Amino acid sequence: MTRTMTLGKAINAGLRTAMEEDPKVVLMGEDIGRLGGVFRITDGLQKDFGEDRVIDTPLAESGIVGTAIGLALRGYRPVCEIQFDGFVYPAYDQIVAQLAKMHYRSAGRLTLPVTIRLPFGGGIGAVEHHSESPEGYFVHTAGLKVVACSTPAEANVMIRQAIASDDPVIFLEPKRRYHEKGEVEPEASLDDAFPLHASRVLREGGDCTVVAYGPMVRVALDAATAAAADSGPALEVIDLRSLSPLDMEPIYASVRKTGRLVVVHEAPGTLGVGAELAARVQEECFYSLESPVLRVTGFDTPYPPARVEDHYLPDLDRVLDAVDRSLAH
């Protein structure tokens, strides 16, 4: 049955379904039990599944992930909540040196089905360490899968797919979109779901391709609507969804049609996801390109104070300006 719910509630429903379907799924994190998490994503789950499956941990991110690795080696499917993006760094060693490498180190004999839920990005007026976009660190680490949801429907299905995966998954949640509503089918079978590691064309257009993920998907779609007003250019919008591995074929096909590409993300531009997309498109679609690939990103600075974050985050005007510059070539 289709229901209307927020993105945050959609993740909660996905966690609930995963726990109902598999008793080996356990949740771990700071204040996720009685409080339901700082964003209330796990609200009510400890009450229904007990303290042994929804575990309040000490304030120690390295300990959370390290314990999850041990549980996964014993057959569990842990789901870790990191309260904010900027808090993940104490767990960085456990994630990149242990979690990402165990499958390769054991020549495929061991799997670590650990999901790390990571609220990321800005736009909520938070203080420092609460609005970062650290995806580049994890995308650069072989052995990790990295995905980002953008809508309630995607969030509900993708969190279930991530938990069902035998590989460790960094699950990026756009915190500025937690309260946006959409249609969700919480009981839908994963057998019929859109693949977890596939990009998706959300809006078709023939003049310029715009690729985004997570919180920037809404901005890209708004830009397409604004651009099309008064018979303006038709933008083709693609939700990348999976940052590692990358599903490039829909992007190649789109660029071969439009001849232009604008990549939008909140993380700093230098050596980021946009840089990788630009390089691959240049290699595969060189003779189709009508203009340079352009990036609209955050800046190469620490995330700024809340009162000026609107100047840091890509917005409608910056995306449309990039589209105009692309079309001007």
Side-chain angles (χ1 to χ4, degrees), residues 8 50-51 92 125 172 202 229 261 279 304:
E51 296 181 359
Y92 188 69
L172 300 170
L202 299 182
L261 174 61

Side-chain angles (χ1 to χ4, degrees), residues 71-113:
L71 284 168
L73 289 172
R74 299 294 295 176
Y76 290 87
R77 291 186 178 274
V79 182
C80 305
E81 176 179 299
I82 305 296
Q83 280 192 339
F84 288 92
D85 32 51
F87 298 176
V88 74
Y89 305 119
Y92 188 69
D93 176 68
Q94 290 287 354
I95 295 172
V96 304
Q98 307 299 332
L99 182 63
K101 292 181 171 59
M102 193 67 74
H103 185 71
Y104 185 81
R105 185 182 296 157
S106 66
R109 288 189 293 273
L110 299 176
T111 57
L112 289 181

